[in-house]
């Protein structure tokens, strides 16, 4: 089996510094000379490396820096997901049992917390960006505070949020690590030094940027609060009917009895740090934004079930201002173009990108993305947007552009956002290999931005995984002919060498969000709520 190096998969810029993630490491680079500055690595990297050095097969169970939890084989803190039907086939082989109907997502912090999941040992888990369980340390999310003084990252295999202090020169100092109850699917920062976290089970939490342990009185209050009994599963034989779910229900009951007999600590306990549940969807959250307009702050959330919700910010995050409804396929990313307040661009599994007045929940325009993709990939019959971003080109009046990348498409697509809020003057920047993430670097408002692209070179050893491109504008279309090498991209050790199938399992997951119709054993009353991975426990749900 041929092996290849794990590529860079996330990029983030602040000032003249570029941070890029690769496996369980965060590298920093200087954007002036494109030289490597420093590297931080997850503590589990050394443990994984020890396995590789001793010529042992990597184990599914990664030693944790927080809780001794078997992540890839069992997730006791999360409700199991049923086998999802996707265009690529069955993503996982998990049986599903969940809470009974009527227990609200946002109100029930421990929803499905007593479930137990088995996953086949074939590296097929949940999604990487959306919470994929992988058998190695992997940084899945990363962002910076607006002032660039702090970097926040998420390691997917242990659901941990890491906060670093940044000295402004590319050096990081680790400040805290906090293991979340559910795996984060997106993360951003908000006013009041808050980290806002969306998870794949539809909840949005806030945690303080700078960690302060809970006081003894606060801890006592949490531990004394009555919790739902864990001696019986939330679902029962009256709400679960298929053979798979009945078997999972029996397995769950046995696991709960074992927990009780051992007197062990429940995995669904409240975290020992300050954490506030803000709001909840009934579907997997895929994108999260915090924005402000007319002096009021908002949280925008998008999910797999085609919804964009507009909620107020803390402390009124439970108040829903409205929805942006119009997508017919999953939404995978959103962006508020620079220089605008009330404009939102969203994309996902639809053939089009949507431009919204998000405050009014109104579609302003659409542009066909599939037709643009087919100019370089004529065989493409559908698209899956993996990232959206924007920039302001500084010449003349400062035109706003929106950029998109799609899974398995070797290009970056660009549009000018006109004053009529339409995406016009489409452009295509072709790439040597598939992009995994893009970000914009601009040291000043007057300078021409650089485009930073994290790519998957595959077996092409001549192509680096991290690229910088200078941008040009011709007839209001963006283009790029100059590629700037990012130096210091070493291949590290053998622990960073994986198969192509593992690369795809880790980083090619957006298309798997697409739902497939059909009945069979998984349809009907026992079908899983599409996105949460929960069994619909109501007696006779109506077909959607």
């Amino acid at each position: 089996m041929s092996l290849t190096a794990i590529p860079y998969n996330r990029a983030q810029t602040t000032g003249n510094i570029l941070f890029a993630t690769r496996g369980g490491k965060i590298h920093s680079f200087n954007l002036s000379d494109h030289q490597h500055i420093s590297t931080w690595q997850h503590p589990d990297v050394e443990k994984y490396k020890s396995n590789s050095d001793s010529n042992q097969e990597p184990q599914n169970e990664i030693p944790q820096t927080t809780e001794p939890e078997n992540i890839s084989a069992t997730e006791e803190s999360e409700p199991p997901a049923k086998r999802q039907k996707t265009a690529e086939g069955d993503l996982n082989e998990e049986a599903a049992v969940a809470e009974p109907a009527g227990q609200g997502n946002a109100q029930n912090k421990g929803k499905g917390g007593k479930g137990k999941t088995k996953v086949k040992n074939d590296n097929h888990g949940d999604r990487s960006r959306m919470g994929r369980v992988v058998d190695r340390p992997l940084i899945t999310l990363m962002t910076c505070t607006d002032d660039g003084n702090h970097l926040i990252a998420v390691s997917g295999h242990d659901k941990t949020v890491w906060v670093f202090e940044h000295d402004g020169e590319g050096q990081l100092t680790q400040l805290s690590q906090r293991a979340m109850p559910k795996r984060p699917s997106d993360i951003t920062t908000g006013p009041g030094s808050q980290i806002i976290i969306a998870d794949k089970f539809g909840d949005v939490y806030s945690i303080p940027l700078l960690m302060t342990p809970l006081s003894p009185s606060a801890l006592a209050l949490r531990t004394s609060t009555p919790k739902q009994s864990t001696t019986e599963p939330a679902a029962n034989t009256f709400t679960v009917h298929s053979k798979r779910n009945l078997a999972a229900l029996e397995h769950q009951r046995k696991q709960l009895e074992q927990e009780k007999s051992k007197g062990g600590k429940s995995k669904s306990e409240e975290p020992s740090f300050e954490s506030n549940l803000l709001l909840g969807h009934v579907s997997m959250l895929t994108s999260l934004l915090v924005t402000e307009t007319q002096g009021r702050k908002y949280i925008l959330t998008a999910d797999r079930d085609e919804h964009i919700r507009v909620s107020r910010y803390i402390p009124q995050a439970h108040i829903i201002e409205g929805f942006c409804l119009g997508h017919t396929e999953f939404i995978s990313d959103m962006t508020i173009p620079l220089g605008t307040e009330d404009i939102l661009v969203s994309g996902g599994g639809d053939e089009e990108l949507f431009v919204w007045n998000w405050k009014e929940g109104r579609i302003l325009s659409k542009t066909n993305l599939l037709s643009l993709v087919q100019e370089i990939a004529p065989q493409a019959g559908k698209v899956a947007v993996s990232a959206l971003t924007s920039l302001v080109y500084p010449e003349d009046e400062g035109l706003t552009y929106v950029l998109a990348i799609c899974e398995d498409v070797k290009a970056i697509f660009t549009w000018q956002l006109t004053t009529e809020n339409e995406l016009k003057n489409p452009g295509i920047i072709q790439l040597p290999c598939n992009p995994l993430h893009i970000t914009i670097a601009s040291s000043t408002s007057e300078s021409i931005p650089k485009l930073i692209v994290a790519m998957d070179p595959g077996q092409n050893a001549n192509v680096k995984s991290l690229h910088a491109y200078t941008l040009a504008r011709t007839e209001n279309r963006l283009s790029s002919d100059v590629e700037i090498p990012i130096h210091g991209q070493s291949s590290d050790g053998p622990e960073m060498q994986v198969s192509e199938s593992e690369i795809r399992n880790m980083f090619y997951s957006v298309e798997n969000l697409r739902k497939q119709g059909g009945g069979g054993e998984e349809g009907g009353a026992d079908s899983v709520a599409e996105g949460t991975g929960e069994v619909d426990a109501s007696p006779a749900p109506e077909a959607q």
Side-chain angles (χ1 to χ4, degrees):
M1 180 194 307
S2 60
L3 300 179
T4 185
I6 295 177
Y8 287 89
N9 63 298
R10 302 289 294 185
Q12 176 71 43
T13 63
T14 177
N16 204 38
I17 302 300
L18 165 67
F19 294 105
T21 66
R22 183 166 175 264
K25 300 181 180 182
I26 302 175
H27 299 270
S28 64
F29 301 87
N30 189 308
L31 286 172
S32 296
D33 55 15
H34 304 100
Q35 297 294 324
H36 184 268
I37 299 174
S38 68
T39 299
W40 173 88
Q41 72 175 26
H42 192 290
D44 287 349
V45 170
E46 284 300 322
K47 299 171 185 178
Y48 193 91
K49 184 178 180 181
S50 298
N51 275 344
S52 300
D53 291 343
S54 59
N55 295 321
Q56 296 178 0
E57 286 294 322
Q59 300 298 311
N60 277 344
E61 183 174 12
I62 289 289
Q64 301 302 309
T65 59
T66 52
E67 299 179 345
E69 181 181 3
N70 186 343
I71 292 297
S72 61
T74 304
E75 281 199 77
E76 298 191 23
S77 64
E78 300 184 9
K82 80 156 190 179
R83 183 168 52 186
Q84 300 287 347
K85 295 180 179 179
T86 69
E88 300 297 327
D90 290 339
L91 178 64
N92 59 54
E93 297 290 337
E94 301 174 354
V97 176
E99 64 191 23
Q103 295 184 358
N105 193 332
Q107 286 73 26
N108 185 4
K109 294 184 182 180
K111 71 175 190 312
K114 300 172 289 302
K116 190 100 169 180
T117 299
K118 284 188 176 181
V119 181
K120 291 174 65 178
N121 184 16
D122 59 358
N123 288 326
H124 288 280
D126 298 320
R127 296 161 183 78
S128 139
R129 180 179 168 225
M130 313 307 172
R132 180 181 291 272
V133 181
V134 296
D135 61 353
R136 63 176 66 241
L138 180 67
I139 304 298
T140 55
L141 299 167
M142 182 172 60
T143 189
C144 278
T145 54
D146 291 340
D147 58 14
N149 292 335
H150 294 89
L151 179 78
I152 302 103
V154 173
S155 49
H157 73 291
D158 57 3
K159 302 177 287 188
T160 297
V161 177
W162 303 81
V163 177
F164 305 90
E165 185 177 35
H166 176 221
D167 67 354
E169 302 296 329
Q171 300 291 340
L172 296 176
T173 301
Q174 180 184 321
L175 297 181
S176 66
Q177 61 179 104
R178 282 164 277 186
M180 298 303 297
K182 312 291 186 218
R183 185 162 289 103
S185 57
D186 205 0
I187 190 169
T188 188
T189 58
S193 297
Q194 295 292 309
I195 303 173
I196 312 300
I197 304 167
D199 67 36
K200 68 171 189 170
F201 282 79
D203 291 331
V204 177
Y205 292 86
S206 69
I207 62 175
L209 177 67
L210 301 180
M211 180 179 175
T212 54
L214 290 176
S215 65
S217 60
L219 278 173
L221 179 62
R222 288 199 175 197
T223 55
S224 63
T225 302
K227 292 182 174 62
Q228 186 178 356
S229 170
T230 58
T231 58
E232 285 295 328
N236 55 61
T237 54
F238 294 103
T239 59
V240 172
H241 309 290
S242 73
K243 290 182 179 179
R244 176 179 291 112
N245 288 339
L246 286 170
L249 178 64
E250 181 61 27
H251 177 72
Q252 184 182 5
R253 184 177 287 109
K254 290 180 180 179
Q255 292 297 328
L256 290 172
E257 291 174 354
Q258 290 177 6
E259 268 188 24
K260 184 181 178 182
S261 64
K262 292 178 181 178
K265 184 172 68 173
S266 172
K267 294 290 195 331
S268 60
E269 282 189 357
E270 295 285 348
S272 59
F273 53 86
E274 182 181 346
S275 173
N276 297 301
L277 181 63
L278 303 181
L279 59 94
H281 284 228
V282 292
S283 180
M284 175 189 291
L285 288 174
T286 57
S287 187
L288 169 71
L289 294 173
V290 172
T291 188
E292 181 176 354
T293 182
Q294 298 177 350
R296 175 169 283 179
K297 303 173 184 65
Y298 298 89
I299 301 174
L300 276 60
T301 46
D303 65 29
R304 187 189 179 194
D305 284 341
E306 308 99 37
H307 305 132
I308 298 173
R309 182 194 293 185
V310 180
S311 306
R312 292 186 185 178
Y313 190 66
I314 305 170
Q316 296 180 312
H318 60 283
I319 298 178
I320 300 174
E321 286 285 332
F323 291 87
C324 298
L325 303 177
H327 281 275
T328 58
E329 290 286 353
F330 64 88
I331 303 162
S332 52
D333 206 7
M334 306 181 293
T335 186
I336 295 177
L338 292 175
T340 69
E341 283 190 351
D342 296 342
I343 305 302
L344 176 74
V345 179
S346 62
D350 289 292
E351 297 180 4
E352 301 164 309
L353 293 185
F354 287 63
V355 181
W356 307 83
N357 181 316
W358 59 263
K359 188 70 182 299
E360 300 176 1
R362 179 165 53 91
I363 298 175
L364 301 177
S365 64
K366 301 179 187 179
T367 189
N368 193 291
L369 175 58
L370 178 60
S371 61
L372 205 58
V373 169
Q374 289 173 335
E375 291 188 22
I376 61 170
Q379 75 284 359
K382 55 188 176 182
V383 292
V385 174
S386 51
L388 290 169
T389 190
S390 68
L391 61 87
V392 174
Y393 202 88
E395 292 181 357
D396 303 326
E397 67 274 22
L399 301 180
T400 297
Y401 287 85
V402 173
L403 296 82
I405 58 173
C406 300
E407 196 167 78
D408 264 328
V409 180
K410 299 177 182 179
I412 299 170
F413 303 97
T414 70
W415 298 264
Q416 179 195 352
L417 180 64
T418 67
T419 55
E420 293 79 24
N421 296 316
E422 296 179 332
L423 296 176
K424 297 290 187 181
N425 302 318
I428 301 175
I429 301 174
Q430 296 201 36
L431 303 173
C433 46
N434 291 331
L436 299 177
H437 193 239
I438 56 172
T439 191
I440 306 299
S442 180
S443 56
T444 67
S445 59
E446 291 79 22
S447 62
I448 297 176
K450 292 178 183 177
L451 183 59
I452 310 298
V453 188
M455 302 187 193
D456 172 21
Q459 296 295 326
N460 191 343
N462 297 322
V463 177
K464 296 294 185 182
S465 177
L466 202 57
H467 298 244
Y469 290 88
T470 58
L471 295 172
R473 193 181 68 180
T474 304
E475 296 181 351
N476 290 333
R477 282 181 167 84
L478 284 185
S479 62
S480 177
D481 298 323
V482 180
E483 176 187 347
I484 306 169
I486 301 292
H487 303 293
Q489 299 182 52
S490 63
S491 59
D492 295 320
E495 76 279 1
M496 299 294 286
Q497 301 294 314
V498 296
S499 66
E500 289 188 59
S501 62
E502 288 178 288
I503 294 292
R504 296 202 66 85
N505 287 334
M506 285 191 283
F507 303 122
Y508 293 79
S509 57
V510 182
E511 179 58 41
N512 288 332
L513 293 173
R514 194 181 305 275
K515 293 180 252 179
Q516 301 295 304
E521 182 184 356
E522 307 300 335
D526 300 313
S527 63
V528 169
E530 290 283 357
T532 61
E534 299 175 330
V535 171
D536 185 350
S538 56
E542 296 179 1
Q544 296 183 356

